[in-house]
């Protein structure tokens, strides 16, 4: 029996068992890269807990008013808490407001469900404030946190949650799912599966929002231009990009994907590349900079993303990366 989710069958089966046996935990933590399906799984659990017409105790119909409201994240007993933007900060006042609502009995559903997205973005005060709720959860309340990894959260938070680690799916499974479930043409499905790196949610987001693919292309074009630019031009670019933290994070992730492909190409590994439309560029970069150059650039990208994750000065972090970015001869 399915929750109409692409992949992650083991996680669905585990959660279905919890619902069927009335053994639902008071708090869950779904980890994995953005776009892998963390939020979708959280919403399906909320639907399974509160569906008005389930085909089985653990299988939501997905069509009743409650299921539809939860899917739209508009149900009165569902609360979504997140930073205002990706790469932003989840504040302590948001957690305190959530705690006030959780103290109330469910309005019309069996359970109040709170989904705290990208909880690695919570500031220390917000994380510590949530601990009280995790230690003394109200009745008929289920908390679901999502994060990229447990290492980015307080150990005391992680220890109070049932942790489900979601990983990217095989590219062929995503490709086939896009074709069979959403009628996406084979060539487009293959391209999206590769670009998304096996993350079905991200692949669908790219397909449904063509402007995201245009932005990806622009960042890759900018990267190619920066390789041959002067330090002055690089710093000017860093100054503009660092003013939008979400865009900066997006560009760095796209460039990370490119350099991971370069490392695959330079090493001769059999792993598939993500950026199929940049295969010629990837081969050229592998020839020019080699395996060591790819590793060094990936390390610089990872360090910069880590700095931004710890709220470092965006402009300074960007400028340091521009110094580390290799230069075309």
């Amino acid at each position: 029996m399915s929750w109409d989710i692409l992949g992650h069958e083991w996680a669905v089966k585990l959660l279905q068992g919890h619902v069927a046996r009335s053994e639902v935990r008071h708090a869950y933590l779904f980890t994995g890269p953005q776009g892998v399906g963390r939020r979708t799984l959280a919403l399906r659990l909320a639907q399974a807990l509160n569906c008005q017409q389930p085909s089985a105790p653990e299988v939501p119909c997905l069509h009743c008013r409650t299921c539809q409201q939860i899917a739209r994240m508009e149900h009165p007993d569902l609360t979504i808490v997140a930073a205002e933007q990706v790469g932003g900060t989840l504040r302590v006042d948001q957690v305190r407001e959530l705690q006030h609502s959780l103290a109330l009995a469910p309005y019309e559903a069996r359970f109040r469900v709170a989904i705290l997205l990208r909880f690695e973005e919570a500031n220390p005060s917000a994380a510590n404030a949530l601990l009280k709720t995790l230690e003394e959860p109200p009745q008929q309340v289920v908390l679901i946190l999502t994060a990229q990894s447990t290492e980015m959260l307080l150990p005391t938070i992680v220890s109070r949650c049932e942790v489900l680690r979601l990983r990217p799916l095989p590219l062929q499974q995503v490709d086939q799912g896009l074709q069979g479930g959403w009628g996406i043409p084979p060539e487009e499905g293959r391209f999206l599966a590769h670009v998304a790196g096996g993350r079905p949610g991200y692949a669908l987001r790219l397909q449904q929002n063509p402007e995201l693919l245009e932005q990806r292309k622009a960042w890759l074009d900018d990267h190619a231009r920066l390789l041959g630019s002067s330090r002055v031009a690089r710093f000017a670019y860093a100054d503009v990009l660092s003013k939008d933290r979400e865009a900066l994070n997006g560009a760095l992730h796209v460039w990370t994907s490119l350099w991971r492909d370069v490392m695959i190409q330079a090493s001769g590994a059999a792993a598939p590349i993500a950026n199929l439309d940049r295969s010629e560029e990837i081969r050229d970069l592998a020839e020019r900079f080699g395996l060591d150059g790819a590793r060094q650039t990936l390390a610089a990208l990872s360090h910069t993303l880590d700095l931004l994750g710890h709220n470092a000065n965006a402009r300074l972090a960007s400028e340091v990366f521009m110094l580390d970015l290799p230069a075309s001869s």
Side-chain angles (χ1 to χ4, degrees), residues 7-326:
H8 310 308
E9 292 85 0
W10 66 271
V12 172
K13 183 177 180 180
L14 176 69
L15 295 172
Q16 285 180 331
H18 289 181
V19 176
R21 297 188 299 270
S22 298
E23 295 176 354
V24 177
R25 312 300 192 251
H26 71 275
Y28 291 91
L29 169 59
F30 299 161
T31 66
Q34 288 185 27
V36 78
R38 303 172 308 186
R39 184 177 67 177
T40 299
L41 185 62
L43 291 172
R44 286 292 184 273
L45 177 55
Q47 290 169 322
L49 291 170
N50 290 317
C51 178
Q52 296 171 321
Q53 303 168 353
S55 56
E58 71 278 11
V59 182
C61 71
L62 305 182
H63 301 295
C64 68
R65 182 175 65 89
T66 293
C67 283
Q68 290 292 309
Q69 286 182 319
I70 290 173
R72 296 192 302 269
M73 297 185 285
E74 295 175 352
H75 194 278
D77 291 314
L78 173 69
T79 305
I80 306 294
V81 181
E84 292 183 359
Q85 62 179 13
V86 176
T89 301
L90 194 156
R91 306 181 311 276
V92 66
D93 59 292
Q94 293 176 272
V95 173
R96 288 173 178 158
E97 183 178 348
L98 169 66
Q99 290 168 327
H100 176 73
S101 67
L102 295 182
L104 305 174
Y107 179 70
E108 61 181 49
R110 287 193 300 156
F111 289 89
R112 277 192 177 274
V113 179
I115 302 176
L116 295 96
L117 300 172
R118 309 187 308 275
F119 200 69
E120 69 272 13
E121 296 175 352
N123 63 30
S125 297
N128 283 310
L130 186 67
L131 275 175
K132 181 174 176 59
T133 301
L134 291 174
E135 290 167 352
E136 301 174 9
Q139 292 292 320
Q140 302 304 109
V141 166
V142 176
L143 297 169
I144 308 173
L145 285 65
T146 75
Q148 292 194 44
S149 71
T150 55
E151 289 75 16
M152 302 177 76
L153 304 182
L154 292 174
T156 45
I157 293 282
V158 177
S159 66
R160 288 163 174 78
C161 299
E162 173 97 2
V163 181
L164 279 71
R165 295 174 171 84
L166 306 184
R167 292 179 172 82
L169 307 179
L171 300 184
Q172 186 176 8
Q173 183 180 8
V174 177
D175 181 8
Q176 292 175 348
L178 293 174
Q179 293 182 48
W182 287 272
I184 295 174
E187 185 174 348
E188 184 182 2
R190 178 171 176 266
F191 171 70
L192 291 172
H194 278 257
V195 171
R199 295 170 291 165
Y202 185 40
L204 281 172
R205 195 154 64 245
L206 290 172
Q207 195 272 336
Q208 295 165 0
N209 300 277
E211 66 274 11
L212 296 179
L213 286 173
E214 286 298 317
Q215 181 61 80
R216 166 187 169 271
K217 179 180 182 301
W219 282 330
L220 288 171
D221 290 345
D222 290 346
H223 171 273
R225 188 165 52 252
L226 287 167
L227 291 177
S229 296
S230 66
R231 182 178 297 181
V232 172
R234 289 184 177 198
F235 279 13
Y237 182 88
D239 179 43
V240 173
L241 189 60
S242 63
K243 292 175 180 176
D244 184 339
R245 207 175 185 94
E246 184 173 359
L248 175 58
N249 272 281
L252 292 172
H253 277 104
V254 167
W255 297 344
T256 296
S257 172
L258 179 72
W259 280 99
R260 191 173 289 126
D261 287 346
V262 174
M263 185 171 70
I264 291 171
Q265 179 72 34
S267 67
I273 63 171
N275 299 280
L276 295 175
D277 55 335
R278 298 278 174 157
S279 56
E280 185 175 340
E281 179 181 347
I282 289 164
R283 285 193 295 270
D284 178 61
L285 290 173
E287 290 176 4
R288 280 195 284 163
F289 301 111
L291 185 57
D292 286 344
R295 284 174 173 163
Q296 290 170 11
T297 307
L298 280 171
L301 284 160
S302 177
H303 180 63
T304 306
L305 285 166
D306 184 60
L307 289 173
L308 294 173
H310 288 85
N311 292 316
N313 181 282
R315 179 176 176 178
L316 180 58
S318 303
E319 289 178 348
V320 171
F321 170 71
M322 290 300 167
L323 293 174
D324 292 331
L325 185 67

